[in-house]
Amino acid sequence: MKYISFLLLIALYAHGGCSNFDSAGEKADIVIYGGTSAAIISAVQAIKSGKSVIVVSPDRQLGGLSSGGLGFTDTGDKSVIGGLARDFYHRLYLHYQDSASWRWQNQDEYGNKGQGTAAIDGDNRTMWIFEPHAAEKVFEEYVTEYDIDVRRDEWLDRDSGVAMKDGRIVSITTLSGKTYTGKMFIDATYEGDLMAAAGVSYHVGREANSVYEEQWNGVQTGVLHHKHWFATDISPYVVPGDSTSGLLYGVSAEHPGEYGQGDHRLQAYCFRICLSNHPENRVEFPKPDNYNPNNYELLARVFASGWRETFHKFDPIPNRKTDTNNHGPFSTDLIGMNYDYPIASYERRKEIIKEHEDYQKGLMYFLANDERVPADVREEMAQWGLAKDEFVDNGNWPHQLYIREARRMIGQHVMTEHDVFSDQEVADPVGMGSYTLDSHNVQRYIKPDGYVQNEGDIGVKPKKGPYRISYGSLIPKQEECTNLLVPVCVSSSHIAFGSIRMEPVFMILGQSAALAAVLAIDKGTTVQDVEYSALRKQLELESQILGNKK
């Protein structure tokens, strides 16, 4: 018997140590599902508040998009970014104060351009523009400094992995068979998988304008914001003008829908790729195994029409690198190829992610090599490549696809454009947003005149500046679940989420969710019964910015 026990002990260590099999080690006051920026910030706050935490992360790399290529931060009004979110950007400032951080470029050569603000804010000691590895380093420093228990590569069993009792989550179980028991749970994923598996209501796609009496939700045919649309007449057919010849790659044959109508469509995803033009830190764009140059014929026709804005969103980050984002009518966004992602199986999601990777790698190769691309564009593209010192364990490609929108909870309060426009009072703010109501294109369709057009790209500024985000948008309805908070897939309409969905805001809401969870534990209440005045006091003590005090 002792011999058998000894063999069992060896087996346990071979699978990662005994702690993962100790039932006491699988229990915590707060269990956080996700590896995003919101997940790590939630964990930091919970530990600061004296609670035990387990972060169950499907991701190996922590930080989500903040460490996954989105370094040209969507700040909006930086004055409303407080608490641990501001601490994150302060730590990046400290990182770049070290001269050793400027390996490929002198700091004075970098400049100081950010998105709506200076990249390096010396007065407030914050850095808003950064390299992916620098952000990942900060998240890992949080893990070490606060001794956060992170279980990586642990995927929720979405079919039967959430144990419920009397409207509360008791535990979650992952595909590896590990079970994590907690008093409170936080779903900090981009997809909202825990929320959905717990039976909480959610929406995918665009609501009709009539649902919440909005203007900018639903189908937006004829609305052309930004510069992400076809400004000239471009034929969508393989043989220009011949509808019998078939459609070019990326063009839908479906009717786009009537203006203001709700649909299942999602704003496009992409990878925020990190490029370098330093000869010693540049990897030539690889030719994908399944590369098909015909997939980019629509872009070739855009070039032939005279368009020359290829490099407009090669946003500079330190050390001669970029955060490269979508720009123009045909770019890094893979429009219309993500509709099933939010509720798809893990296997199907992997296929969608690979499709996006192949498309963008093919796009970069096309721009650098295809003779249909203007010579001046090809010559400039030849100076660029993937940054050799980023994502070194993944072929210099980001680990995280930009999930701009997936599930959105239908919770105690649904944030709408009326909240974002400050046309109605939010009496229970847990943070503030300020960014433009921003949706990328959701479809590429054929107009009645036979030419191609994009639809869904919206950019509308909040009318009265920064706005309050309701605590009610972080929590489910009382009858659905009483110990879950959702700081990423918040309760929001499609177009309101277009403003809320920024990484600084996710960090703000992650911290606020943790503080609410702590109060619910201490007071022995549900998340719906947390006394807002008490929560507000804690939020303010932690330097969250909530607007004018009431």
Side-chain angles (χ1 to χ4, degrees):
M1 190 67 179
K2 290 182 179 179
Y3 179 69
I4 294 175
S5 299
F6 178 70
L7 290 178
L8 178 59
L9 186 63
I10 291 175
L12 294 180
Y13 273 110
H15 284 82
C18 284
S19 62
N20 286 346
F21 293 84
D22 178 357
S23 61
E26 306 304 320
K27 295 178 180 177
D29 294 320
I30 302 173
V31 176
I32 300 166
Y33 184 60
T36 61
S37 60
I40 302 308
I41 293 300
S42 294
V44 170
Q45 182 57 64
I47 291 170
K48 284 183 62 180
S49 299
K51 302 304 177 190
S52 60
V53 174
I54 299 176
V55 175
V56 182
S57 171
D59 310 311
R60 291 183 181 273
Q61 287 74 26
L62 303 179
L65 260 296
S66 285
S67 60
L70 204 167
F72 197 71
T73 304
D74 301 308
T75 49
D77 186 336
K78 67 184 180 184
S79 69
V80 299
I81 301 172
L84 287 170
R86 182 164 286 264
D87 179 72
F88 171 77
Y89 297 106
H90 170 63
R91 289 175 182 238
L92 285 165
Y93 173 84
L94 296 178
H95 171 81
Y96 285 107
Q97 290 303 296
D98 183 351
S99 60
S101 298
W102 297 89
R103 181 180 179 188
W104 305 110
Q105 178 182 45
N106 292 328
Q107 182 174 343
D108 58 5
E109 295 174 348
Y110 166 62
N112 203 23
K113 179 186 177 183
Q115 188 172 174
T117 186
I120 307 171
D121 184 349
D123 292 338
N124 291 289
R125 294 171 59 79
T126 48
M127 181 77 174
W128 302 101
I129 312 297
F130 47 85
E131 299 158 279
H133 77 267
E136 186 174 1
K137 173 175 172 283
V138 172
F139 288 117
E140 293 294 348
E141 286 173 350
Y142 279 132
V143 170
T144 300
E145 182 178 335
Y146 289 92
D147 194 21
I148 302 173
D149 184 354
V150 181
R151 312 295 179 90
R152 305 178 197 235
D153 199 22
E154 287 291 330
W155 298 77
L156 178 68
D157 181 343
R158 292 160 56 191
D159 294 325
S160 57
V162 178
M164 303 282 294
K165 183 178 181 181
D166 299 328
R168 296 175 63 85
I169 302 173
V170 175
S171 65
I172 63 172
T173 299
T174 58
L175 294 178
S176 69
K178 298 182 180 69
T179 297
Y180 304 92
T181 302
K183 299 174 183 176
M184 291 285 152
F185 290 81
I186 296 175
D187 184 341
T189 63
Y190 291 122
E191 295 85 0
D193 283 343
L194 173 55
M195 169 190 73
V200 172
S201 299
Y202 62 85
H203 189 86
V204 175
R206 299 183 289 187
E207 299 92 347
N209 274 332
S210 59
V211 174
Y212 300 116
E213 300 301 320
E214 295 176 295
Q215 178 181 356
W216 301 108
N217 209 337
V219 175
Q220 297 285 315
T221 44
V223 178
L224 302 172
H225 292 175
H226 300 122
K227 298 179 75 174
H228 307 319
W229 49 282
F230 292 87
T232 56
D233 290 339
I234 303 291
S235 176
Y237 302 112
V238 174
V239 176
D242 181 1
S243 62
T244 67
S245 64
L247 291 172
L248 293 177
Y249 179 79
V251 180
S252 171
E254 293 183 7
H255 187 275
E258 301 300 328
Y259 177 82
Q261 182 180 53
D263 63 12
H264 65 289
R265 299 181 178 100
L266 297 168
Q267 57 178 311
Y269 299 166
C270 71
F271 285 94
R272 298 289 285 256
I273 51 178
C274 184
L275 307 183
S276 172
N277 67 354
H278 195 292
E280 296 178 40
N281 194 39
R282 178 175 60 85
V283 177
E284 287 190 12
F285 295 117
K287 182 179 182 180
D289 292 337
N290 60 353
Y291 174 68
N292 183 354
N294 292 331
N295 288 350
Y296 309 99
E297 170 61 23
L298 198 56
L299 177 58
R301 295 181 187 182
V302 173
F303 279 130
S305 74
W307 185 82
R308 291 295 184 275
E309 298 178 14
T310 304
F311 303 100
H312 282 211
K313 285 301 288 180
F314 277 44
D315 291 316
I317 63 176
N319 283 307
R320 288 179 62 172
K321 300 177 189 176
T322 70
D323 167 359
T324 297
N325 194 16
N326 174 74
H327 180 76
F330 190 104
S331 186
T332 56
D333 279 0
L334 185 51
I335 299 171
M337 303 297 183
N338 61 343
Y339 300 155
D340 59 333
Y341 180 91
I343 62 174
S345 66
Y346 291 135
E347 291 74 18
R348 174 59 186 142
R349 284 181 184 170
K350 288 179 182 177
E351 292 174 356
I352 295 170
I353 292 168
K354 184 64 164 57
E355 290 164 5
H356 282 72
E357 179 179 342
D358 289 345
Y359 166 78
Q360 275 186 255
K361 284 183 174 178
L363 175 63
M364 294 298 107
Y365 185 83
F366 176 84
L367 288 169
N369 294 280
D370 199 287
E371 291 187 356
R372 289 172 291 175
V373 176
D376 59 314
V377 176
R378 277 184 282 132
E379 289 171 7
E380 187 167 349
M381 279 299 294
Q383 301 174 29
W384 292 95
L386 301 177
K388 186 185 295 186
D389 61 350
E390 297 290 351
F391 313 117
V392 295
D393 62 343
N394 198 45
N396 310 113
W397 195 260
H399 303 97
Q400 177 66 59
L401 180 65
Y402 193 174
I403 310 301
R404 289 189 171 95
E405 186 174 10
R407 296 183 181 96
R408 300 186 310 280
M409 181 170 62
I410 303 174
Q412 184 167 283
H413 175 83
V414 179
M415 293 286 293
T416 69
E417 68 179 43
H418 306 296
D419 296 304
V420 175
F421 289 151
S422 300
D423 288 337
Q424 59 190 28
E425 181 182 6
V426 172
D428 58 349
V430 288
M432 299 190 75
S434 62
Y435 202 80
T436 298
L437 291 83
D438 180 69
S439 172
H440 283 232
N441 282 305
V442 306
Q443 62 179 325
R444 181 172 287 141
Y445 70 102
I446 305 168
K447 296 185 297 178
D449 62 7
Y451 295 110
V452 66
Q453 192 52 273
N454 296 332
E455 184 273 319
D457 187 86
I458 299 296
V460 181
K461 292 183 178 180
K463 295 187 295 187
K464 301 175 184 177
Y467 58 90
R468 298 173 171 184
I469 300 172
S470 169
Y471 174 59
S473 69
L474 304 189
I475 56 177
K477 297 172 183 176
Q478 179 100 26
E479 62 270 22
E480 293 187 341
C481 187
T482 59
N483 67 334
L484 174 68
L485 296 109
V486 184
V488 177
C489 294
V490 298
S491 179
S492 168
S493 71
H494 155 73
I495 197 58
F497 192 75
S499 174
I500 296 168
R501 65 178 181 85
M502 305 304 158
E503 288 290 299
V505 178
F506 287 157
M507 286 188 261
I508 290 168
L509 299 181
Q511 181 177 12
S512 297
L515 285 166
V518 169
L519 275 177
I521 292 171
D522 288 347
K523 300 296 183 181
T525 67
T526 66
V527 294
Q528 290 83 6
D529 290 332
V530 167
E531 185 182 348
Y532 178 69
S533 61
L535 176 58
R536 178 160 192 145
K537 180 178 179 181
Q538 293 302 310
L539 293 169
E540 291 175 339
L541 286 173
E542 295 294 340
S543 301
Q544 291 284 50
I545 298 168
L546 307 175
N548 297 326
K549 294 182 179 180
K550 293 292 184 180

